Amino acid sequence: MPPDANDSTVAQLALLSRRLEREHRARLAAEVLAERGLRELYQTQQELRLLVSIADTANQASSITEVLRFAVTSICNHTGWEVGHAYLNHHLPAASPLRSARIWNDSINPLFAELRDLTEQRSLVASNGWPGRVLATRQPAWIRDLAAEPDAECRKLSAAGQIRAAFAFPVTVGDDVVALLEFYCTRVRDEDHSLLLLLSQVGIQLSRAVERKISQDRLLYDATHDALTGLPNRKSFRQLLAQTLLEAQQRNTQCAVLFIDLDHFKLVNDSMGHHAGDQLIVQVACRIRSSLQPLELPTSPDQSAQPFCAAALVARLGGDEFTILLDNVITESAPLQVAEQIQEALKQPFQINGQDVFTGASIGITLSAPGYYSGDEILRDADLAMYQAKSRGKSRCIVFDRSMRDQAARRLTIENDLRRALTKQEFLLNYQPIVALDNGEIIGFEALIRWRRAGDIVPPSDFIPIADEMGLIVPIGHWVLEEACRTLRDWQNQFPREKPITIGVNVSPRQFRQPNFVAQVRQALANARVEPSALTLEITEGATMGNPEQAIATLLELRNLGVKLSIDDFGTGYSSLSYLHRFPLHALKIDRSFIARIDGSFQSFQVVNSIMSLANNLGIGVVAEGIETTGQVEHLRSLLCRFGQGFHFSKPLSRADAHQLLAQSLLCVTR
C-alpha cells in the first residue's frame, strides 16, 4: 500500500473519532437537559399538586383551623422539614394578637416537645423576635441558621429543639395578618427563592379561604345574634334550647328558662326617644350578663358555695324581652334565685343621656319536666308566667304552673269570641240611675255595657281589658255611644221633662285618643236627634294624662259641641292639678272606694270633703259612685254633694226595667 494511502486512512479515523466524541458529548448534554427538565417538571407538578390540594381543602373545609392544619402538614410533607406550626387570631374578625392555634404537622417528633411548649406560651408582636418580623413586613422570611442569629429568641428556639433553619409566611386579610405559618429544619439550609415564591402563592390561597370563612361566619353571626346587644337572638335561642332540652332528657337532669320583660320601658321610649331606649336595652343586657357571674347558691357557713347550674345563656328575643337558659339546674329553687339576682341588679339607676332612669323586670320561670317535648313549649309557658308577673303588679318573679295555661286558653277563647261579638249583636247595655240626693229624682242614667256570651252575661271587668289590648275597644265604644244615644232619644220622647233626662257614656283612653273621636260623637248625636247637652262623656284620668295638651284640645272641641264632660273614678288615677283646672269639665265622679269607707273612716271622709272643695272651687259638679247605705247618703248630703248612684238606689237595669223605673217620679233615698 502506498505511503499516502496510510496517511489518508489515519486522517479519516481521527476525523471519525472526533465526530463520535462530539456526538457523545452532545448526547450527554441532551440527557442532562432532559433530566433537568424532568426534575423541573416533576417539581412543578408537585408544587401544583400542593397548591391544588390546599385550594380544594380550603373550599371544602368547615373551619379555618381545618384549612391551616392541612396546609401545615402538606407543606412539611412537600419540603421534608421536620416541624410546622400555625399561629391564628382567635377573635376573628376583630383584630387581636396572634397566638398558637396548637396546629402542628402530624408527624412532629416528641423530641420537639420543649419547642412546642415554648411556642404555645407566647403571642406574636410585630417586629419583636422571630417570626414577629413577618408580622411587620407581611412578607415571607427565611433564616438560614437560627443559631447564628443575633436575636436571643432565635437562639432560644434553636436550643429548645436543636433546630437550625426556619421559614415563615403570613396569611393576610386586607391590612391585617390573621394567621402565620412557620416551619423549622434541623439542618442549616440556604434560602430557597422558588420555595418562598410557592409559599407566597399558598399564603394567597389561605388568605382567600380565611376571608371567605370570615364573611360566612359574619353572616351566620348576624343571622343568630341581636345587632344591638350582641346577644343570641330568638332563632339562636330556640335552637340552643331545643338541644339543651334533649341533652337534659338524656342525662335525666333539668334545665330552666327565665323570660324577662322590662317594666316601664315604653315610658322611656315615649318620653326620651328610641335612641335612649336602645341605650337602656344595651345597659340592661350588660347588667344581666354580669349578674350571672358567678352563679352561686347561698350556703350554710360550714359548706362551700355550690353553683346554681352548669351553664347560663342570656339572649334577647326582641324589644325589651330577654331570656335566660339555665342548664343542669341543681335545685328547683335555683332559677328563682337567679331571677332575684337579676332583679336586684336592675334596681340601681341607669345613666341615659345624663339622666337617672329606673326600670325593673317581670320574670316568668319554667323548669323542664316530663311532658315537655319541645323547647318552644317551655318558652311559651315561661312567657305565660311572665304575663302573670305583669298582671300581679310587675317587678315580680312567677314560676309557671298548669293553671296558667288553662287561663291562657280561656283568654284565647274570649279573644276569638270578642272578635265576632259585635257582628253577632251579643252586646247590650244596662242603665244605672243617677239621682238627686236631696229628693231622689232620677236625673239620668249611666250606660254600662254587658256581653251576652253563649247565654251567660259576662261582666265588663272580664272582657273590657282584653278588648282594650286587642284594639276592639274602639268599635265597641262606638257602638255603645250610638246605642246609648238612641235609647236616650226614646226616653226623652216618652218621658218629656222641663230638664230632659241625661245619659252618661264611658269613654276608654284608646277611644278618646282617636283622631276622629269628636266627629263620631257629633254623628251619633245627629243620628239619634238628641241635644248634645243631654250626653255626658265619662273619661278616666288616664285618658287625659298621656298627652295633656292634646286632651285639652279634644275636650274643648267636645264642650263647643255642647256635650257635658265628667272625670270618672276621680282620685284613683294620676291627674295633675296643674292641668285639671284647664279641663272644661262639668263634673267629677268620686270613686266608690272612698264612698265605701266614708261611714267609718275619718280619713276617707276628709278625702271626699277635699274633692268637694276642689270641685266647688273649680265650679263643677260632683257625682258620688257606689252608694250602698243611708249613712253614706247622709254624709254626702252634709258635704253638699248633690248627685249619686249605687245599689242603694238601684242596680244596673235592663232597658225595659229602666223604662219601667222612669215611670215613677222619685226613688226613696232613705230606704
Side-chain angles (χ1 to χ4, degrees):
M1 181 180 294
D4 293 341
N6 290 333
D7 292 341
S8 173
T9 300
V10 170
Q12 289 176 358
L13 289 173
L15 178 63
L16 181 60
S17 177
R18 289 193 298 272
R19 183 178 297 169
L20 290 173
E21 180 65 26
R22 286 196 301 271
E23 290 177 357
H24 177 68
R25 288 197 300 270
R27 283 196 300 272
L28 290 176
E31 289 175 359
V32 169
L33 288 173
E35 183 178 353
R36 182 185 304 164
L38 288 172
R39 284 200 305 270
E40 290 176 352
L41 177 61
Y42 176 78
Q43 181 69 22
T44 301
Q45 289 176 335
Q46 293 300 105
E47 291 176 354
L48 286 174
R49 185 175 290 112
L50 175 67
L51 290 172
V52 169
S53 64
I54 291 176
D56 288 344
T57 301
N59 289 330
Q60 299 175 17
S62 59
S63 68
I64 294 173
T65 55
E66 183 181 342
V67 177
L68 295 180
R69 183 173 289 107
F70 181 83
V72 166
T73 299
S74 298
I75 291 171
C76 283
N77 292 338
H78 178 81
T79 61
W81 287 41
E82 293 90 343
V83 181
H85 170 252
Y87 292 93
L88 180 65
N89 173 358
H90 291 270
H91 300 285
L92 293 171
S96 67
L98 298 186
R99 296 189 63 85
S100 172
R102 301 184 183 275
I103 294 174
W104 300 83
N105 54 301
D106 294 338
S107 59
I108 185 170
N109 195 304
L111 295 176
F112 300 113
E114 185 179 353
L115 170 66
R116 189 169 189 158
D117 292 341
L118 181 66
T119 301
E120 290 182 353
Q121 291 172 6
R122 66 176 181 168
S123 59
L124 297 185
V125 180
S127 302
N128 185 10
W130 166 263
R133 280 173 279 175
V134 178
L135 286 179
T137 62
R138 298 197 294 279
Q139 296 294 326
W142 188 290
I143 294 183
R144 179 178 179 275
D145 186 0
L146 284 167
E149 288 289 310
D151 192 320
E153 185 177 356
C154 288
R155 295 196 298 272
K156 186 176 181 181
L157 289 170
S158 176
Q162 299 181 353
I163 55 178
R164 304 299 294 272
F167 69 80
F169 66 92
V171 178
T172 60
V173 174
D175 294 331
D176 298 320
V177 177
V178 297
L180 187 145
L181 278 63
E182 60 180 3
F183 300 86
Y184 296 102
C185 180
T186 55
R187 300 184 306 277
V188 174
R189 301 288 292 267
D190 290 329
E191 182 174 331
D192 186 337
H193 295 288
S194 63
L195 178 59
L196 288 180
L197 181 61
L198 171 66
L199 297 178
S200 295
Q201 294 300 313
V202 172
I204 292 172
Q205 286 185 336
L206 294 178
S207 297
R208 291 170 179 168
V210 172
E211 186 173 19
R212 185 166 58 250
K213 190 65 175 64
I214 289 174
S215 298
Q216 292 172 350
D217 289 347
R218 171 56 68 185
L219 289 174
L220 178 61
Y221 181 90
D222 290 343
T224 57
H225 287 74
D226 172 51
L228 183 61
T229 63
L231 295 174
N233 61 14
R234 179 185 293 272
K235 177 182 178 181
S236 178
F237 183 82
R238 291 179 61 210
Q239 293 172 343
L240 291 167
L241 176 57
Q243 181 63 31
T244 301
L245 177 61
L246 178 62
E247 293 173 356
Q249 290 171 341
Q250 293 171 345
R251 296 190 309 257
N252 196 28
T253 59
Q254 276 193 309
C255 62
V257 170
L258 279 64
F259 199 113
I260 304 169
D261 187 273
L262 299 185
D263 297 328
H264 315 301
F265 177 72
K266 186 177 185 302
L267 182 60
V268 175
N269 263 347
D270 292 346
S271 61
M272 301 180 67
H274 289 279
H275 180 65
D278 287 348
Q279 293 182 58
L280 179 59
I281 290 295
V282 171
Q283 293 187 34
V284 166
C286 290
R287 290 252 188 113
I288 293 176
R289 277 192 299 237
S290 298
S291 69
L292 297 178
Q293 300 294 332
L295 289 176
E296 290 184 345
L297 283 165
T299 59
S300 59
D302 60 339
Q303 292 179 319
S304 59
Q306 298 294 322
F308 278 138
C309 57
L313 170 81
V314 58
R316 183 189 179 207
L317 299 190
D320 60 341
E321 294 180 341
F322 296 85
T323 49
I324 295 175
L325 173 60
L326 303 179
D327 187 19
N328 198 15
V329 174
I330 306 302
T331 66
E332 290 190 358
S333 64
L336 189 58
Q337 291 173 282
V338 173
E340 290 170 349
Q341 277 189 193
I342 292 170
Q343 288 188 322
E344 188 64 29
L346 298 180
K347 281 184 178 179
Q348 297 301 315
F350 294 87
Q351 278 288 316
I352 308 293
N353 297 336
Q355 291 183 247
D356 282 348
V357 174
F358 292 86
T359 189
S362 299
I363 304 177
I365 303 168
T366 303
L367 283 100
S368 63
Y372 281 118
Y373 298 102
S374 72
D376 285 345
E377 292 176 339
I378 295 179
L379 189 61
R380 172 203 64 198
D381 289 348
D383 192 8
L384 286 174
M386 181 276 294
Y387 273 106
Q388 283 289 322
K390 285 278 189 188
S391 65
R392 296 183 191 180
K394 301 183 180 180
S395 295
R396 293 173 179 266
C397 308
I398 299 292
V399 179
F400 172 81
D401 65 59
R402 301 288 178 180
S403 65
M404 296 178 190
R405 195 178 301 158
D406 295 336
Q407 292 175 15
R410 287 195 297 271
R411 178 187 170 106
L412 180 60
T413 303
I414 289 176
E415 288 183 3
N416 291 335
D417 291 348
L418 265 177
R419 295 183 189 279
R420 297 186 291 266
L422 265 178
T423 56
K424 294 172 67 176
Q425 299 181 346
E426 293 180 344
F427 292 116
L428 65 147
L429 293 183
N430 279 182
Y431 302 88
Q432 186 171 37
I434 300 174
V435 305
L437 296 183
D438 57 351
N439 60 14
E441 180 186 4
I442 298 174
I443 65 164
F445 292 84
E446 179 182 358
L448 301 169
I449 189 169
R450 298 292 185 265
W451 179 19
R452 187 188 292 109
R453 177 174 176 245
D456 297 324
I457 299 298
V458 182
S461 58
D462 287 357
F463 71 88
I464 289 295
I466 298 174
D468 193 25
E469 290 180 23
M470 298 171 63
L472 293 176
I473 198 67
V474 174
I476 290 174
H478 185 220
W479 176 85
V480 170
L481 181 63
E482 293 274 358
E483 179 67 15
C485 287
R486 285 193 293 267
T487 300
L488 176 63
R489 175 199 61 206
D490 293 342
W491 287 346
Q492 286 182 344
N493 290 339
Q494 295 174 41
F495 304 102
R497 295 182 177 184
E498 183 179 349
K499 290 185 178 180
I501 297 170
T502 64
I503 200 159
V505 174
N506 292 286
V507 177
S508 73
R510 189 188 294 266
Q511 183 183 8
F512 179 75
R513 297 186 187 116
Q514 293 299 304
N516 63 340
F517 175 62
V518 176
Q520 288 185 358
V521 174
R522 182 184 295 108
Q523 188 63 48
L525 292 168
N527 291 342
R529 300 187 301 279
V530 298
E531 289 297 320
S533 59
L535 174 65
T536 299
L537 298 179
E538 299 185 6
I539 301 163
T540 62
E541 298 174 67
T544 62
M545 288 300 104
N547 186 341
E549 295 299 334
Q550 182 59 48
I552 291 171
T554 302
L555 292 172
L556 287 173
E557 283 191 72
L558 291 169
R559 185 190 66 179
N560 293 337
L561 185 61
V563 172
K564 292 182 179 177
L565 303 167
S566 172
I567 291 289
D568 197 17
D569 300 331
F570 187 79
T572 62
Y574 46 92
S575 288
S576 169
L577 295 180
S578 63
Y579 285 103
L580 188 59
H581 75 279
R582 297 174 56 191
F583 293 159
L585 301 175
H586 296 84
L588 302 177
K589 297 192 77 172
I590 305 177
D591 186 67
R592 66 184 65 249
S593 61
F594 298 114
I595 304 303
R597 298 191 298 269
I598 198 172
D599 282 337
S601 169
F602 178 74
Q603 184 177 16
S604 294
F605 182 86
Q606 289 299 108
V607 168
V608 176
N609 186 33
S610 298
I611 294 174
M612 292 298 305
S613 298
L614 174 65
N616 289 332
N617 290 333
L618 294 175
I620 58 181
V622 174
V623 178
E625 295 183 294
I627 301 174
E628 296 186 356
T629 68
T630 302
Q632 292 168 357
V633 173
E634 294 302 326
H635 281 298
L636 290 167
R637 279 175 170 173
S638 70
L639 295 174
L640 304 181
C641 179
R642 295 182 57 197
F643 306 105
Q645 65 185 97
F647 279 19
H648 177 71
F649 306 108
S650 173
K651 65 180 182 180
L653 304 169
S654 67
R655 176 170 175 169
D657 290 341
H659 181 276
Q660 185 177 355
L661 186 63
L662 278 173
Q664 306 172 19
S665 60
L666 299 175
L667 281 175
C668 181
V669 300
T670 59
R671 66 185 180 190

